[in-house]
Amino acid sequence: MGGDHGLEVTIPATLSFLDSHPRATALLVGRRDEILAALGARGDHPRLTVVHAEQVIGMDEAPAQALRNKRDSSMRVAIRLVKDGAADACISAGNTGALMAISRFVLKTLDGIDRPAIASPLPNEKGGITTMLDLGANVDSTPEHLLQFAILGSALVAALQEIERPSVGLLNIGEEAIKGNDVVKRAADLLRASPLNFYGNVEGNDIYKGTTDVVVCDGFVGNVALKASEGVAHLIAVFIKEEFTRGPLAKLAAAMAMPVLKRFKRRVDPARLNGAALLGLRGIVIKSHGGAGVQAFEAALQRGYDAADHRLLERTIAAMEPFREQLQGGVEPMTES
Amino acid sequence: MGGDHGLEVTIPATLSFLDSHPRATALLVGRRDEILAALGARGDHPRLTVVHAEQVIGMDEAPAQALRNKRDSSMRVAIRLVKDGAADACISAGNTGALMAISRFVLKTLDGIDRPAIASPLPNEKGGITTMLDLGANVDSTPEHLLQFAILGSALVAALQEIERPSVGLLNIGEEAIKGNDVVKRAADLLRASPLNFYGNVEGNDIYKGTTDVVVCDGFVGNVALKASEGVAHLIAVFIKEEFTRGPLAKLAAAMAMPVLKRFKRRVDPARLNGAALLGLRGIVIKSHGGAGVQAFEAALQRGYDAADHRLLERTIAAMEPFREQLQGGVEPMTES
């Protein structure tokens, strides 16, 4: 039900995904009548089930409010399906804060993980993917949190990209007198002593250089870096457009260059890499961009499918094993009221 | 003497700057013989003086080391000229950490300012400039530090862009459950209660949207955001180049689009906005990119000239006045050994 476009996007994306994945089955959670109307003739698809949920969480609704007052929201019902083992993954384009709060409350975190983290795939110059976390779920992260993010991100990349020992970089600042704050320095010590494939410190530009497979940072820093990156990409797009429409000669050049510009646009299109993973939970939850179109939402479905298919949870739990003792102390238990 | 290109860049840039600024005089600080050789026939320029300094600080030298061991470095002599009133501003393309450490040590900070901050002009979609600080001089900033950055950035924009009450945004994260960390929340309270033109919280993409004239953040966050931005811009440049050289048709399109692409490149060229200000000191110090070319270094000279010409220091001291009592407690006094 969620996202900026609701069923207009989620339904066609799901149908297209089912068509190209013969082993996949979909549980569409939300208002049955609306979903059936949107499905139309495809409502009788054999690998598709509609699960009714009366409530919908608004995109701007306060997460705590949504958690307390909407026990029958589509989001909550979908996450409960994961908890109950009826679904292998939950994919949502809805309210990020609510998705995080409800996931954490219903699914709980894995042993040794204090709080879930948000991990996103970003394009890099090597033509590959850099996975960055946390992107805003945690502020004021401790060194232990950063270690947890590194373990989670590593397991995600190992599962989704079939890289045995993904390299992990710790986001830091380089040039200045004081290289990083205390938290980062202590996190580097923890990472260096761990069995992870720790590369060392990386700087902001290394994310897009593709220096490491995983980049670990505090959620405040990661969120700002991600949004600044989006801002620059948008600024450049605006400038390109302005230059290519400045007078008839530029417009002619634009017409000539159109196939190239289109290929370029496709390449930097965030749709291709849509689908952030909420990691550290006892279940797979993928967050699609709220503004995702059909193709982008399908990419998010693909990520959820791959994570389940490549046994992300089992891999994560195995990856946590060497840290069991080290991290056990930090668990904040939560109980469903 | 500093920067990646040394005198090859700084000398021609200075000569060109003097030619276009008839009221300007230049003090070239460094090894006299080398400077005179580089000046050649222009060595007798009436508004140009060579000030000898034997030592040069390396680009990778540890700032503490440079501060302790190189009392006769070109950087230190140049900063001392500012302290003594012989120069109105010091412009350097050298080692940032050393420039910061020596500036702080020799010039001292203004009353009420704990540590200097680095402020850079960034392009925005409105076709204007967003000034962001701190960009790496301070990590683990307190709310009071963020308030200081806001005052300093505001005064800089007022002086350089002739904007009477520049709008100030506080860099924060928006989407998630927890909006920002404690430091940012308390900084917002301080800013709201101040006479500054405080806009409120802004997010990473607002830097390039141009939502506010000034964006204030901790140096760790700012440095990461800036480097991530540079990384994205580089990634996009690489992708554009790859697409425009992929086969003969794309190359033809590139030839057609060349004037447009060149105009675009000029527009996003960091040279245009080169020159970060080290703020909060009892003197004007401008840091040029180490890799700056002649044109870029000239832009840094221009910023130093404008800051002096528009009485940045007096304006900053006046802007500090309403905060005198509030900030007085936080001063860390430093004495030259």
Side-chain angles (χ1 to χ4, degrees):
Chain A
M1 303 297 291
D4 300 344
H5 311 297
L7 299 177
E8 270 175 59
V9 158
T10 52
I11 299 279
T14 305
L15 289 170
S16 165
F17 185 80
L18 287 178
D19 288 343
S20 59
H21 293 75
R23 293 194 302 124
T25 59
L27 300 165
L28 292 171
V29 187
R31 295 199 180 117
R32 186 186 303 275
D33 293 352
E34 292 178 35
I35 294 175
L36 287 175
L39 281 169
R42 303 291 309 267
D44 60 352
H45 194 293
R47 289 181 281 115
L48 191 152
T49 310
V50 178
V51 178
H52 182 70
E54 189 55 39
Q55 294 168 313
V56 176
I57 295 172
M59 291 300 274
D60 294 321
E61 209 165 328
Q65 200 104 353
L67 180 62
R68 210 170 25 241
N69 300 336
K70 294 207 169 155
R71 307 244 170 157
D72 190 35
S73 67
S74 53
M75 201 182 264
R76 183 127 171 198
V77 172
I79 293 167
R80 199 182 290 273
L81 289 173
V82 173
K83 184 184 165 66
D84 296 343
D88 293 309
C90 162
I91 293 96
S92 168
N95 183 321
T96 309
L99 187 67
M100 178 57 86
I102 296 172
S103 297
R104 192 181 168 193
F105 184 75
V106 172
L107 293 173
K108 312 283 182 295
T109 54
L110 292 166
D111 285 342
I113 299 294
D114 294 330
R115 297 205 58 205
I118 301 176
S120 248
L122 298 167
N124 67 38
E125 284 176 25
K126 292 181 176 164
I129 285 172
T130 305
T131 297
M132 183 166 166
L133 75 166
D134 175 44
L135 294 176
N138 304 274
V139 296
D140 297 322
S141 305
T142 64
E144 289 72 25
H145 288 142
L146 293 173
L147 173 62
Q148 291 169 23
F149 301 164
I151 301 166
L152 295 173
S154 239
L156 180 72
V157 170
L160 289 187
Q161 295 170 242
E162 302 284 358
I163 296 173
E164 206 181 325
R165 295 189 69 231
S167 55
V168 176
L170 181 64
L171 196 57
N172 202 341
I173 64 176
E175 246 183 49
E176 308 315 321
I178 305 156
K179 299 213 175 177
N181 54 26
D182 260 3
V183 171
V184 170
K185 281 178 200 163
R186 286 191 291 137
D189 292 339
L190 291 180
L191 284 164
R192 214 168 284 118
S194 81
L196 294 170
N197 182 9
F198 181 51
Y199 170 89
N201 289 328
V202 295
E203 297 188 53
N205 49 340
D206 287 303
I207 302 163
Y208 301 99
K209 266 192 202 161
T211 306
T212 57
D213 297 313
V214 179
V215 170
V216 167
C217 60
D218 168 61
F220 189 95
V221 174
N223 187 286
V224 166
L226 184 71
K227 296 234 170 100
S229 301
E230 289 170 357
V232 168
H234 192 261
L235 175 79
I236 292 174
V238 167
F239 281 1
I240 289 181
K241 200 171 170 191
E242 278 179 13
E243 291 304 338
F244 271 111
T245 50
R246 198 186 287 276
L249 264 176
K251 281 181 188 158
L252 182 65
M256 280 292 296
M258 197 46 76
V260 181
L261 290 174
K262 275 205 173 138
R263 219 159 48 219
F264 163 71
K265 204 176 160 187
R266 215 167 26 242
R267 197 157 162 193
V268 292
D269 185 1
R272 202 172 54 92
L273 296 179
N274 186 40
L278 271 53
L279 297 178
L281 297 160
R282 298 175 190 264
I284 296 169
V285 181
I286 302 289
K287 169 66 176 76
S288 158
H289 247 286
V294 172
Q295 211 191 331
F297 193 76
E298 213 178 323
L301 291 171
Q302 181 73 53
R303 285 181 74 78
Y305 182 83
D306 286 346
D309 201 34
H310 298 175
R311 301 174 302 107
L312 172 62
L313 280 193
E314 289 84 337
R315 283 181 195 244
T316 304
I317 290 165
M320 296 283 303
E321 205 45 59
F323 302 93
R324 195 65 51 201
E325 245 171 81
Q326 190 176 3
L327 294 177
Q328 205 66 311
V331 186
E332 302 171 47
M334 287 196 75
T335 45
E336 187 156 1
S337 61
Chain B
M1 303 298 290
D4 301 344
H5 312 295
L7 300 176
E8 271 175 57
V9 158
T10 52
I11 300 279
T14 306
L15 289 170
S16 165
F17 185 80
L18 288 177
D19 288 343
S20 59
H21 293 76
R23 293 193 303 125
T25 60
L27 301 164
L28 292 170
V29 187
R31 292 195 182 121
R32 184 186 305 276
D33 292 352
E34 292 178 36
I35 293 173
L36 287 175
L39 281 168
R42 304 290 309 267
D44 61 352
H45 193 294
R47 289 180 281 119
L48 191 153
T49 310
V50 178
V51 178
H52 181 70
E54 190 54 40
Q55 295 168 313
V56 175
I57 295 172
M59 290 301 273
D60 294 321
E61 212 165 326
Q65 200 104 352
L67 180 64
R68 208 166 32 237
N69 301 337
K70 295 205 169 157
R71 307 245 172 157
D72 191 35
S73 67
S74 55
M75 202 182 264
R76 182 129 172 194
V77 172
I79 292 167
R80 201 182 289 274
L81 289 173
V82 173
K83 184 183 164 70
D84 297 344
D88 293 308
C90 163
I91 294 95
S92 169
N95 183 321
T96 310
L99 187 67
M100 178 57 86
I102 297 172
S103 297
R104 191 180 168 193
F105 185 76
V106 172
L107 293 173
K108 311 284 184 291
T109 52
L110 292 167
D111 285 342
I113 300 294
D114 295 329
R115 299 205 58 207
I118 302 176
S120 248
L122 298 167
N124 66 39
E125 284 176 24
K126 292 183 175 164
I129 286 172
T130 305
T131 297
M132 183 165 164
L133 76 167
D134 173 46
L135 294 176
N138 303 276
V139 295
D140 297 321
S141 306
T142 63
E144 289 72 24
H145 289 142
L146 293 174
L147 173 62
Q148 292 169 23
F149 302 164
I151 301 166
L152 295 172
S154 238
L156 180 72
V157 171
L160 290 187
Q161 294 170 243
E162 302 285 359
I163 296 172
E164 207 181 323
R165 296 189 69 228
S167 55
V168 176
L170 181 64
L171 196 56
N172 202 341
I173 64 176
E175 247 181 48
E176 306 317 318
I178 304 155
K179 298 211 174 179
N181 54 25
D182 260 4
V183 171
V184 170
K185 281 178 200 163
R186 286 190 292 137
D189 292 339
L190 290 179
L191 284 164
R192 215 167 285 119
S194 81
L196 294 170
N197 181 8
F198 181 50
Y199 170 88
N201 289 328
V202 294
E203 297 188 53
N205 50 341
D206 287 304
I207 302 164
Y208 301 99
K209 266 192 202 163
T211 307
T212 56
D213 297 313
V214 180
V215 170
V216 168
C217 60
D218 169 62
F220 189 95
V221 174
N223 188 287
V224 166
L226 185 70
K227 297 233 169 99
S229 300
E230 288 169 0
V232 168
H234 192 260
L235 174 80
I236 292 174
V238 167
F239 281 0
I240 289 181
K241 199 171 171 191
E242 278 178 15
E243 291 304 338
F244 271 112
T245 50
R246 196 185 288 275
L249 264 177
K251 281 181 188 159
L252 182 66
M256 278 293 296
M258 197 47 76
V260 181
L261 289 174
K262 274 203 172 140
R263 218 159 50 217
F264 164 70
K265 203 176 160 187
R266 216 168 25 242
R267 196 155 162 194
V268 292
D269 185 3
R272 202 172 54 91
L273 296 180
N274 185 40
L278 272 53
L279 297 178
L281 297 160
R282 298 174 190 266
I284 294 167
V285 181
I286 302 289
K287 169 65 175 73
S288 158
H289 246 285
V294 173
Q295 210 191 332
F297 194 76
E298 212 177 323
L301 291 171
Q302 182 73 53
R303 285 181 73 78
Y305 182 84
D306 286 346
D309 201 34
H310 298 175
R311 301 174 303 106
L312 172 62
L313 281 193
E314 289 84 337
R315 282 181 196 243
T316 303
I317 291 166
M320 297 284 302
E321 205 45 59
F323 302 93
R324 194 63 53 202
E325 246 171 79
Q326 189 176 4
L327 295 176
Q328 205 67 311
V331 187
E332 303 172 49
M334 286 197 73
T335 47
E336 187 154 4
S337 62

